[in-house]
Amino acid sequence: MGIANGVLYIVIGLSCLWVTLSPVKNPQYRYFYAMMIANLCYLLIPLLVYLNVKIPLIYYISLAGFGWFQGPSWPILLALINVFFKSKKDGCLVGLWSANKDSGNILGFLVCTIVIIYMKLPFQIGLIVPGVLSVILTILVFKIDIG
């Protein structure tokens, strides 16, 4: 698992660097498409486990796809949530933006734990539920009017 996490974070870092160096013409669409593809890569993992796929490279490719397409969402999300804040609250805005990944990981872990431990469902379902919730939240963010 350590190698898989290393691959994931290296790819996320490269993706964030690529996004920083490339202009964003339509942040709302770019965020939507990047997160939807990232979510599909994430949802592929429980499917691979369910199908009992024994080829580690497929898992690495899925994690790399998840990381690559997740990277563009972070800088773009700053512009999208800026709609809800006044310029005097930029510190609050940057704080929320910088905490979004950690907060999302914590919430995803809690949802997964509730599904697996308290609802007594298989762990594949515990991975699918946060992925589906992420798809729903991505669609809600896409509906924000950034004018």
Side-chain angles (χ1 to χ4, degrees):
M1 209 47 183
I3 295 172
N5 284 335
V7 167
L8 175 64
Y9 286 111
I10 288 170
V11 171
I12 287 174
L14 292 173
S15 176
C16 288
L17 177 64
W18 173 75
V19 168
T20 304
L21 298 176
S22 64
V24 178
K25 294 181 181 173
N26 192 337
Q28 202 166 4
Y29 285 98
R30 190 168 182 176
Y31 174 82
F32 178 76
Y33 292 125
M35 282 306 295
M36 290 304 275
I37 294 170
N39 288 324
L40 290 174
C41 289
Y42 175 79
L43 289 169
L44 182 63
I45 294 170
L47 177 65
L48 293 171
V49 170
Y50 175 76
L51 295 174
N52 203 18
V53 175
K54 301 278 188 201
I55 305 169
L57 183 62
I58 294 175
Y59 291 97
Y60 294 150
I61 291 170
S62 178
L63 275 174
F66 173 65
W68 180 263
F69 289 103
Q70 186 183 30
S73 69
W74 296 337
I76 294 168
L77 192 59
L78 181 61
L80 293 176
I81 64 171
N82 189 33
V83 172
F84 298 107
F85 293 90
K86 303 209 183 299
S87 61
K88 293 180 182 177
K89 301 203 181 210
D90 283 342
C92 179
L93 173 67
V94 172
L96 285 172
W97 172 74
S98 67
N100 79 48
K101 180 181 71 119
D102 298 325
S103 303
N105 288 340
I106 292 167
L107 290 173
F109 173 76
L110 288 175
V111 168
C112 194
T113 301
I114 289 168
V115 169
I116 294 170
I117 294 177
Y118 297 110
M119 298 175 76
K120 308 270 190 241
L121 294 172
F123 80 93
Q124 292 94 339
I125 303 296
L127 294 175
I128 290 171
V129 171
V132 170
L133 287 174
S134 183
V135 168
I136 292 168
L137 290 173
T138 299
I139 292 169
L140 291 175
V141 168
F142 180 70
K143 298 292 183 180
I144 295 173
D145 181 21
I146 60 172

PDB file of all heavy atoms in Angstrom, residues 102-137:
ATOM      1  N   ASP A 102      -8.331  17.777   3.392  1.00  0.00           N
ATOM      2  CA  ASP A 102      -8.316  17.059   4.664  1.00  0.00           C
ATOM      3  C   ASP A 102      -9.733  16.814   5.180  1.00  0.00           C
ATOM      4  O   ASP A 102     -10.051  15.735   5.668  1.00  0.00           O
ATOM      5  CB  ASP A 102      -7.501  17.831   5.704  1.00  0.00           C
ATOM      6  CG  ASP A 102      -6.050  17.971   5.274  1.00  0.00           C
ATOM      7  OD1 ASP A 102      -5.532  17.026   4.640  1.00  0.00           O
ATOM      8  OD2 ASP A 102      -5.456  19.017   5.537  1.00  0.00           O
ATOM      9  N   SER A 103     -10.583  17.830   5.076  1.00  0.00           N
ATOM     10  CA  SER A 103     -11.974  17.670   5.510  1.00  0.00           C
ATOM     11  C   SER A 103     -12.678  16.601   4.690  1.00  0.00           C
ATOM     12  O   SER A 103     -13.422  15.783   5.232  1.00  0.00           O
ATOM     13  CB  SER A 103     -12.735  18.992   5.372  1.00  0.00           C
ATOM     14  OG  SER A 103     -12.105  19.997   6.102  1.00  0.00           O
ATOM     15  N   GLY A 104     -12.439  16.603   3.394  1.00  0.00           N
ATOM     16  CA  GLY A 104     -13.035  15.581   2.527  1.00  0.00           C
ATOM     17  C   GLY A 104     -12.556  14.184   2.877  1.00  0.00           C
ATOM     18  O   GLY A 104     -13.339  13.231   2.889  1.00  0.00           O
ATOM     19  N   ASN A 105     -11.262  14.059   3.192  1.00  0.00           N
ATOM     20  CA  ASN A 105     -10.734  12.747   3.599  1.00  0.00           C
ATOM     21  C   ASN A 105     -11.364  12.273   4.902  1.00  0.00           C
ATOM     22  O   ASN A 105     -11.711  11.103   5.052  1.00  0.00           O
ATOM     23  CB  ASN A 105      -9.213  12.805   3.744  1.00  0.00           C
ATOM     24  CG  ASN A 105      -8.514  12.899   2.414  1.00  0.00           C
ATOM     25  OD1 ASN A 105      -9.073  12.565   1.383  1.00  0.00           O
ATOM     26  ND2 ASN A 105      -7.286  13.364   2.441  1.00  0.00           N
ATOM     27  N   ILE A 106     -11.518  13.183   5.848  1.00  0.00           N
ATOM     28  CA  ILE A 106     -12.124  12.823   7.135  1.00  0.00           C
ATOM     29  C   ILE A 106     -13.581  12.424   6.948  1.00  0.00           C
ATOM     30  O   ILE A 106     -14.037  11.408   7.473  1.00  0.00           O
ATOM     31  CB  ILE A 106     -11.977  13.979   8.153  1.00  0.00           C
ATOM     32  CG1 ILE A 106     -10.507  14.163   8.527  1.00  0.00           C
ATOM     33  CG2 ILE A 106     -12.831  13.738   9.390  1.00  0.00           C
ATOM     34  CD1 ILE A 106     -10.205  15.440   9.270  1.00  0.00           C
ATOM     35  N   LEU A 107     -14.335  13.218   6.188  1.00  0.00           N
ATOM     36  CA  LEU A 107     -15.741  12.885   5.954  1.00  0.00           C
ATOM     37  C   LEU A 107     -15.889  11.575   5.190  1.00  0.00           C
ATOM     38  O   LEU A 107     -16.763  10.762   5.495  1.00  0.00           O
ATOM     39  CB  LEU A 107     -16.435  14.028   5.205  1.00  0.00           C
ATOM     40  CG  LEU A 107     -16.653  15.300   6.007  1.00  0.00           C
ATOM     41  CD1 LEU A 107     -17.201  16.408   5.112  1.00  0.00           C
ATOM     42  CD2 LEU A 107     -17.569  15.055   7.182  1.00  0.00           C
ATOM     43  N   GLY A 108     -15.029  11.367   4.195  1.00  0.00           N
ATOM     44  CA  GLY A 108     -15.061  10.105   3.449  1.00  0.00           C
ATOM     45  C   GLY A 108     -14.772   8.917   4.347  1.00  0.00           C
ATOM     46  O   GLY A 108     -15.424   7.873   4.260  1.00  0.00           O
ATOM     47  N   PHE A 109     -13.792   9.070   5.244  1.00  0.00           N
ATOM     48  CA  PHE A 109     -13.471   8.008   6.195  1.00  0.00           C
ATOM     49  C   PHE A 109     -14.647   7.734   7.127  1.00  0.00           C
ATOM     50  O   PHE A 109     -14.980   6.575   7.405  1.00  0.00           O
ATOM     51  CB  PHE A 109     -12.225   8.394   7.008  1.00  0.00           C
ATOM     52  CG  PHE A 109     -11.924   7.451   8.125  1.00  0.00           C
ATOM     53  CD1 PHE A 109     -11.352   6.213   7.864  1.00  0.00           C
ATOM     54  CD2 PHE A 109     -12.233   7.780   9.431  1.00  0.00           C
ATOM     55  CE1 PHE A 109     -11.076   5.328   8.893  1.00  0.00           C
ATOM     56  CE2 PHE A 109     -11.957   6.904  10.468  1.00  0.00           C
ATOM     57  CZ  PHE A 109     -11.380   5.673  10.195  1.00  0.00           C
ATOM     58  N   LEU A 110     -15.300   8.792   7.618  1.00  0.00           N
ATOM     59  CA  LEU A 110     -16.442   8.608   8.515  1.00  0.00           C
ATOM     60  C   LEU A 110     -17.602   7.901   7.812  1.00  0.00           C
ATOM     61  O   LEU A 110     -18.215   6.990   8.370  1.00  0.00           O
ATOM     62  CB  LEU A 110     -16.906   9.958   9.065  1.00  0.00           C
ATOM     63  CG  LEU A 110     -15.989  10.608  10.091  1.00  0.00           C
ATOM     64  CD1 LEU A 110     -16.499  11.994  10.465  1.00  0.00           C
ATOM     65  CD2 LEU A 110     -15.854   9.745  11.327  1.00  0.00           C
ATOM     66  N   VAL A 111     -17.885   8.312   6.585  1.00  0.00           N
ATOM     67  CA  VAL A 111     -18.962   7.665   5.818  1.00  0.00           C
ATOM     68  C   VAL A 111     -18.627   6.194   5.595  1.00  0.00           C
ATOM     69  O   VAL A 111     -19.467   5.309   5.787  1.00  0.00           O
ATOM     70  CB  VAL A 111     -19.199   8.391   4.478  1.00  0.00           C
ATOM     71  CG1 VAL A 111     -20.093   7.584   3.564  1.00  0.00           C
ATOM     72  CG2 VAL A 111     -19.799   9.763   4.720  1.00  0.00           C
ATOM     73  N   CYS A 112     -17.395   5.930   5.201  1.00  0.00           N
ATOM     74  CA  CYS A 112     -16.948   4.554   4.974  1.00  0.00           C
ATOM     75  C   CYS A 112     -17.050   3.727   6.259  1.00  0.00           C
ATOM     76  O   CYS A 112     -17.521   2.577   6.238  1.00  0.00           O
ATOM     77  CB  CYS A 112     -15.517   4.580   4.453  1.00  0.00           C
ATOM     78  SG  CYS A 112     -14.955   3.040   3.759  1.00  0.00           S
ATOM     79  N   THR A 113     -16.651   4.298   7.381  1.00  0.00           N
ATOM     80  CA  THR A 113     -16.718   3.601   8.663  1.00  0.00           C
ATOM     81  C   THR A 113     -18.162   3.292   9.055  1.00  0.00           C
ATOM     82  O   THR A 113     -18.467   2.191   9.507  1.00  0.00           O
ATOM     83  CB  THR A 113     -16.047   4.450   9.767  1.00  0.00           C
ATOM     84  OG1 THR A 113     -14.699   4.682   9.393  1.00  0.00           O
ATOM     85  CG2 THR A 113     -16.101   3.770  11.106  1.00  0.00           C
ATOM     86  N   ILE A 114     -19.041   4.266   8.875  1.00  0.00           N
ATOM     87  CA  ILE A 114     -20.459   4.047   9.199  1.00  0.00           C
ATOM     88  C   ILE A 114     -21.039   2.927   8.347  1.00  0.00           C
ATOM     89  O   ILE A 114     -21.732   2.045   8.851  1.00  0.00           O
ATOM     90  CB  ILE A 114     -21.263   5.356   9.018  1.00  0.00           C
ATOM     91  CG1 ILE A 114     -20.894   6.347  10.117  1.00  0.00           C
ATOM     92  CG2 ILE A 114     -22.768   5.091   9.012  1.00  0.00           C
ATOM     93  CD1 ILE A 114     -21.390   7.755   9.883  1.00  0.00           C
ATOM     94  N   VAL A 115     -20.727   2.934   7.063  1.00  0.00           N
ATOM     95  CA  VAL A 115     -21.260   1.906   6.162  1.00  0.00           C
ATOM     96  C   VAL A 115     -20.732   0.523   6.524  1.00  0.00           C
ATOM     97  O   VAL A 115     -21.490  -0.448   6.567  1.00  0.00           O
ATOM     98  CB  VAL A 115     -20.932   2.256   4.692  1.00  0.00           C
ATOM     99  CG1 VAL A 115     -21.216   1.098   3.770  1.00  0.00           C
ATOM    100  CG2 VAL A 115     -21.714   3.487   4.258  1.00  0.00           C
ATOM    101  N   ILE A 116     -19.443   0.427   6.822  1.00  0.00           N
ATOM    102  CA  ILE A 116     -18.834  -0.890   7.069  1.00  0.00           C
ATOM    103  C   ILE A 116     -19.127  -1.394   8.490  1.00  0.00           C
ATOM    104  O   ILE A 116     -19.568  -2.527   8.670  1.00  0.00           O
ATOM    105  CB  ILE A 116     -17.311  -0.838   6.826  1.00  0.00           C
ATOM    106  CG1 ILE A 116     -17.029  -0.581   5.354  1.00  0.00           C
ATOM    107  CG2 ILE A 116     -16.646  -2.125   7.277  1.00  0.00           C
ATOM    108  CD1 ILE A 116     -15.584  -0.282   5.048  1.00  0.00           C
ATOM    109  N   ILE A 117     -18.886  -0.569   9.497  1.00  0.00           N
ATOM    110  CA  ILE A 117     -18.980  -1.047  10.882  1.00  0.00           C
ATOM    111  C   ILE A 117     -20.416  -1.027  11.405  1.00  0.00           C
ATOM    112  O   ILE A 117     -20.885  -2.008  11.967  1.00  0.00           O
ATOM    113  CB  ILE A 117     -18.051  -0.221  11.803  1.00  0.00           C
ATOM    114  CG1 ILE A 117     -16.601  -0.502  11.406  1.00  0.00           C
ATOM    115  CG2 ILE A 117     -18.287  -0.562  13.267  1.00  0.00           C
ATOM    116  CD1 ILE A 117     -15.576   0.276  12.165  1.00  0.00           C
ATOM    117  N   TYR A 118     -21.102   0.087  11.216  1.00  0.00           N
ATOM    118  CA  TYR A 118     -22.422   0.216  11.825  1.00  0.00           C
ATOM    119  C   TYR A 118     -23.543  -0.374  10.968  1.00  0.00           C
ATOM    120  O   TYR A 118     -24.511  -0.905  11.504  1.00  0.00           O
ATOM    121  CB  TYR A 118     -22.718   1.679  12.161  1.00  0.00           C
ATOM    122  CG  TYR A 118     -21.754   2.214  13.185  1.00  0.00           C
ATOM    123  CD1 TYR A 118     -20.795   3.154  12.844  1.00  0.00           C
ATOM    124  CD2 TYR A 118     -21.775   1.738  14.487  1.00  0.00           C
ATOM    125  CE1 TYR A 118     -19.901   3.633  13.785  1.00  0.00           C
ATOM    126  CE2 TYR A 118     -20.875   2.201  15.434  1.00  0.00           C
ATOM    127  CZ  TYR A 118     -19.945   3.149  15.075  1.00  0.00           C
ATOM    128  OH  TYR A 118     -19.057   3.600  16.010  1.00  0.00           O
ATOM    129  N   MET A 119     -23.411  -0.273   9.650  1.00  0.00           N
ATOM    130  CA  MET A 119     -24.454  -0.833   8.779  1.00  0.00           C
ATOM    131  C   MET A 119     -24.149  -2.273   8.381  1.00  0.00           C
ATOM    132  O   MET A 119     -24.949  -2.921   7.733  1.00  0.00           O
ATOM    133  CB  MET A 119     -24.633   0.061   7.551  1.00  0.00           C
ATOM    134  CG  MET A 119     -25.095   1.468   7.907  1.00  0.00           C
ATOM    135  SD  MET A 119     -25.171   2.567   6.490  1.00  0.00           S
ATOM    136  CE  MET A 119     -26.670   1.992   5.722  1.00  0.00           C
ATOM    137  N   LYS A 120     -22.929  -2.737   8.723  1.00  0.00           N
ATOM    138  CA  LYS A 120     -22.493  -4.119   8.475  1.00  0.00           C
ATOM    139  C   LYS A 120     -22.557  -4.502   6.990  1.00  0.00           C
ATOM    140  O   LYS A 120     -22.919  -5.617   6.639  1.00  0.00           O
ATOM    141  CB  LYS A 120     -23.346  -5.109   9.288  1.00  0.00           C
ATOM    142  CG  LYS A 120     -23.445  -4.809  10.752  1.00  0.00           C
ATOM    143  CD  LYS A 120     -22.337  -5.483  11.501  1.00  0.00           C
ATOM    144  CE  LYS A 120     -22.608  -5.367  12.989  1.00  0.00           C
ATOM    145  NZ  LYS A 120     -21.624  -4.662  13.701  1.00  0.00           N
ATOM    146  N   LEU A 121     -22.188  -3.574   6.121  1.00  0.00           N
ATOM    147  CA  LEU A 121     -22.143  -3.831   4.683  1.00  0.00           C
ATOM    148  C   LEU A 121     -20.713  -4.160   4.275  1.00  0.00           C
ATOM    149  O   LEU A 121     -19.763  -3.803   4.973  1.00  0.00           O
ATOM    150  CB  LEU A 121     -22.663  -2.619   3.912  1.00  0.00           C
ATOM    151  CG  LEU A 121     -24.154  -2.302   4.114  1.00  0.00           C
ATOM    152  CD1 LEU A 121     -24.510  -0.981   3.480  1.00  0.00           C
ATOM    153  CD2 LEU A 121     -25.023  -3.416   3.559  1.00  0.00           C
ATOM    154  N   PRO A 122     -20.508  -4.834   3.138  1.00  0.00           N
ATOM    155  CA  PRO A 122     -19.150  -5.164   2.685  1.00  0.00           C
ATOM    156  C   PRO A 122     -18.314  -3.902   2.449  1.00  0.00           C
ATOM    157  O   PRO A 122     -18.849  -2.842   2.138  1.00  0.00           O
ATOM    158  CB  PRO A 122     -19.371  -5.911   1.368  1.00  0.00           C
ATOM    159  CG  PRO A 122     -20.795  -6.283   1.337  1.00  0.00           C
ATOM    160  CD  PRO A 122     -21.529  -5.355   2.243  1.00  0.00           C
ATOM    161  N   PHE A 123     -16.988  -4.050   2.578  1.00  0.00           N
ATOM    162  CA  PHE A 123     -16.129  -2.873   2.457  1.00  0.00           C
ATOM    163  C   PHE A 123     -16.162  -2.270   1.055  1.00  0.00           C
ATOM    164  O   PHE A 123     -15.909  -1.081   0.892  1.00  0.00           O
ATOM    165  CB  PHE A 123     -14.693  -3.192   2.899  1.00  0.00           C
ATOM    166  CG  PHE A 123     -13.864  -3.897   1.877  1.00  0.00           C
ATOM    167  CD1 PHE A 123     -13.065  -3.185   1.012  1.00  0.00           C
ATOM    168  CD2 PHE A 123     -13.892  -5.287   1.784  1.00  0.00           C
ATOM    169  CE1 PHE A 123     -12.291  -3.833   0.079  1.00  0.00           C
ATOM    170  CE2 PHE A 123     -13.131  -5.937   0.859  1.00  0.00           C
ATOM    171  CZ  PHE A 123     -12.334  -5.216  -0.013  1.00  0.00           C
ATOM    172  N   GLN A 124     -16.490  -3.052   0.031  1.00  0.00           N
ATOM    173  CA  GLN A 124     -16.604  -2.483  -1.314  1.00  0.00           C
ATOM    174  C   GLN A 124     -17.707  -1.418  -1.340  1.00  0.00           C
ATOM    175  O   GLN A 124     -17.546  -0.371  -1.960  1.00  0.00           O
ATOM    176  CB  GLN A 124     -16.910  -3.558  -2.365  1.00  0.00           C
ATOM    177  CG  GLN A 124     -15.782  -4.514  -2.605  1.00  0.00           C
ATOM    178  CD  GLN A 124     -15.898  -5.770  -1.764  1.00  0.00           C
ATOM    179  OE1 GLN A 124     -16.575  -5.801  -0.754  1.00  0.00           O
ATOM    180  NE2 GLN A 124     -15.212  -6.818  -2.178  1.00  0.00           N
ATOM    181  N   ILE A 125     -18.812  -1.690  -0.653  1.00  0.00           N
ATOM    182  CA  ILE A 125     -19.902  -0.711  -0.570  1.00  0.00           C
ATOM    183  C   ILE A 125     -19.418   0.503   0.228  1.00  0.00           C
ATOM    184  O   ILE A 125     -19.764   1.643  -0.095  1.00  0.00           O
ATOM    185  CB  ILE A 125     -21.158  -1.331   0.100  1.00  0.00           C
ATOM    186  CG1 ILE A 125     -21.623  -2.573  -0.661  1.00  0.00           C
ATOM    187  CG2 ILE A 125     -22.280  -0.317   0.231  1.00  0.00           C
ATOM    188  CD1 ILE A 125     -22.075  -2.311  -2.069  1.00  0.00           C
ATOM    189  N   GLY A 126     -18.592   0.261   1.242  1.00  0.00           N
ATOM    190  CA  GLY A 126     -18.023   1.356   2.016  1.00  0.00           C
ATOM    191  C   GLY A 126     -17.143   2.268   1.187  1.00  0.00           C
ATOM    192  O   GLY A 126     -16.990   3.445   1.498  1.00  0.00           O
ATOM    193  N   LEU A 127     -16.550   1.756   0.124  1.00  0.00           N
ATOM    194  CA  LEU A 127     -15.762   2.588  -0.790  1.00  0.00           C
ATOM    195  C   LEU A 127     -16.646   3.256  -1.837  1.00  0.00           C
ATOM    196  O   LEU A 127     -16.369   4.362  -2.287  1.00  0.00           O
ATOM    197  CB  LEU A 127     -14.697   1.736  -1.483  1.00  0.00           C
ATOM    198  CG  LEU A 127     -13.595   1.172  -0.597  1.00  0.00           C
ATOM    199  CD1 LEU A 127     -12.689   0.251  -1.395  1.00  0.00           C
ATOM    200  CD2 LEU A 127     -12.792   2.280   0.044  1.00  0.00           C
ATOM    201  N   ILE A 128     -17.712   2.588  -2.222  1.00  0.00           N
ATOM    202  CA  ILE A 128     -18.585   3.122  -3.268  1.00  0.00           C
ATOM    203  C   ILE A 128     -19.399   4.313  -2.761  1.00  0.00           C
ATOM    204  O   ILE A 128     -19.566   5.309  -3.475  1.00  0.00           O
ATOM    205  CB  ILE A 128     -19.496   2.008  -3.820  1.00  0.00           C
ATOM    206  CG1 ILE A 128     -18.656   1.020  -4.628  1.00  0.00           C
ATOM    207  CG2 ILE A 128     -20.618   2.582  -4.680  1.00  0.00           C
ATOM    208  CD1 ILE A 128     -19.387  -0.228  -5.054  1.00  0.00           C
ATOM    209  N   VAL A 129     -19.901   4.241  -1.542  1.00  0.00           N
ATOM    210  CA  VAL A 129     -20.762   5.309  -1.011  1.00  0.00           C
ATOM    211  C   VAL A 129     -20.061   6.673  -0.997  1.00  0.00           C
ATOM    212  O   VAL A 129     -20.615   7.654  -1.501  1.00  0.00           O
ATOM    213  CB  VAL A 129     -21.330   4.925   0.381  1.00  0.00           C
ATOM    214  CG1 VAL A 129     -22.042   6.097   1.033  1.00  0.00           C
ATOM    215  CG2 VAL A 129     -22.264   3.735   0.253  1.00  0.00           C
ATOM    216  N   PRO A 130     -18.823   6.817  -0.467  1.00  0.00           N
ATOM    217  CA  PRO A 130     -18.171   8.131  -0.542  1.00  0.00           C
ATOM    218  C   PRO A 130     -17.921   8.581  -1.984  1.00  0.00           C
ATOM    219  O   PRO A 130     -17.995   9.771  -2.283  1.00  0.00           O
ATOM    220  CB  PRO A 130     -16.845   7.939   0.192  1.00  0.00           C
ATOM    221  CG  PRO A 130     -17.013   6.730   1.021  1.00  0.00           C
ATOM    222  CD  PRO A 130     -18.020   5.880   0.323  1.00  0.00           C
ATOM    223  N   GLY A 131     -17.633   7.630  -2.879  1.00  0.00           N
ATOM    224  CA  GLY A 131     -17.435   7.984  -4.283  1.00  0.00           C
ATOM    225  C   GLY A 131     -18.697   8.544  -4.910  1.00  0.00           C
ATOM    226  O   GLY A 131     -18.658   9.541  -5.638  1.00  0.00           O
ATOM    227  N   VAL A 132     -19.833   7.923  -4.612  1.00  0.00           N
ATOM    228  CA  VAL A 132     -21.112   8.409  -5.142  1.00  0.00           C
ATOM    229  C   VAL A 132     -21.455   9.772  -4.534  1.00  0.00           C
ATOM    230  O   VAL A 132     -21.925  10.674  -5.241  1.00  0.00           O
ATOM    231  CB  VAL A 132     -22.231   7.374  -4.890  1.00  0.00           C
ATOM    232  CG1 VAL A 132     -23.597   7.942  -5.205  1.00  0.00           C
ATOM    233  CG2 VAL A 132     -21.976   6.115  -5.712  1.00  0.00           C
ATOM    234  N   LEU A 133     -21.200   9.943  -3.234  1.00  0.00           N
ATOM    235  CA  LEU A 133     -21.425  11.251  -2.608  1.00  0.00           C
ATOM    236  C   LEU A 133     -20.544  12.326  -3.244  1.00  0.00           C
ATOM    237  O   LEU A 133     -20.979  13.458  -3.445  1.00  0.00           O
ATOM    238  CB  LEU A 133     -21.157  11.174  -1.106  1.00  0.00           C
ATOM    239  CG  LEU A 133     -22.201  10.436  -0.281  1.00  0.00           C
ATOM    240  CD1 LEU A 133     -21.744  10.311   1.161  1.00  0.00           C
ATOM    241  CD2 LEU A 133     -23.549  11.117  -0.357  1.00  0.00           C
ATOM    242  N   SER A 134     -19.323  11.981  -3.587  1.00  0.00           N
ATOM    243  CA  SER A 134     -18.431  12.928  -4.255  1.00  0.00           C
ATOM    244  C   SER A 134     -18.959  13.312  -5.632  1.00  0.00           C
ATOM    245  O   SER A 134     -18.860  14.467  -6.045  1.00  0.00           O
ATOM    246  CB  SER A 134     -17.026  12.337  -4.359  1.00  0.00           C
ATOM    247  OG  SER A 134     -16.153  13.259  -4.937  1.00  0.00           O
ATOM    248  N   VAL A 135     -19.525  12.346  -6.352  1.00  0.00           N
ATOM    249  CA  VAL A 135     -20.134  12.649  -7.657  1.00  0.00           C
ATOM    250  C   VAL A 135     -21.282  13.637  -7.470  1.00  0.00           C
ATOM    251  O   VAL A 135     -21.399  14.624  -8.205  1.00  0.00           O
ATOM    252  CB  VAL A 135     -20.634  11.352  -8.347  1.00  0.00           C
ATOM    253  CG1 VAL A 135     -21.520  11.668  -9.528  1.00  0.00           C
ATOM    254  CG2 VAL A 135     -19.463  10.491  -8.774  1.00  0.00           C
ATOM    255  N   ILE A 136     -22.123  13.406  -6.462  1.00  0.00           N
ATOM    256  CA  ILE A 136     -23.262  14.300  -6.209  1.00  0.00           C
ATOM    257  C   ILE A 136     -22.782  15.703  -5.858  1.00  0.00           C
ATOM    258  O   ILE A 136     -23.290  16.699  -6.380  1.00  0.00           O
ATOM    259  CB  ILE A 136     -24.155  13.718  -5.094  1.00  0.00           C
ATOM    260  CG1 ILE A 136     -24.846  12.442  -5.592  1.00  0.00           C
ATOM    261  CG2 ILE A 136     -25.189  14.737  -4.623  1.00  0.00           C
ATOM    262  CD1 ILE A 136     -25.507  11.621  -4.515  1.00  0.00           C
ATOM    263  N   LEU A 137     -21.758  15.797  -4.989  1.00  0.00           N
ATOM    264  CA  LEU A 137     -21.231  17.109  -4.618  1.00  0.00           C
ATOM    265  C   LEU A 137     -20.565  17.806  -5.798  1.00  0.00           C
ATOM    266  O   LEU A 137     -20.638  19.030  -5.928  1.00  0.00           O
ATOM    267  CB  LEU A 137     -20.255  16.971  -3.452  1.00  0.00           C
ATOM    268  CG  LEU A 137     -20.901  16.588  -2.120  1.00  0.00           C
ATOM    269  CD1 LEU A 137     -19.840  16.303  -1.072  1.00  0.00           C
ATOM    270  CD2 LEU A 137     -21.848  17.671  -1.645  1.00  0.00           C
TER     271      LEU A 137
END
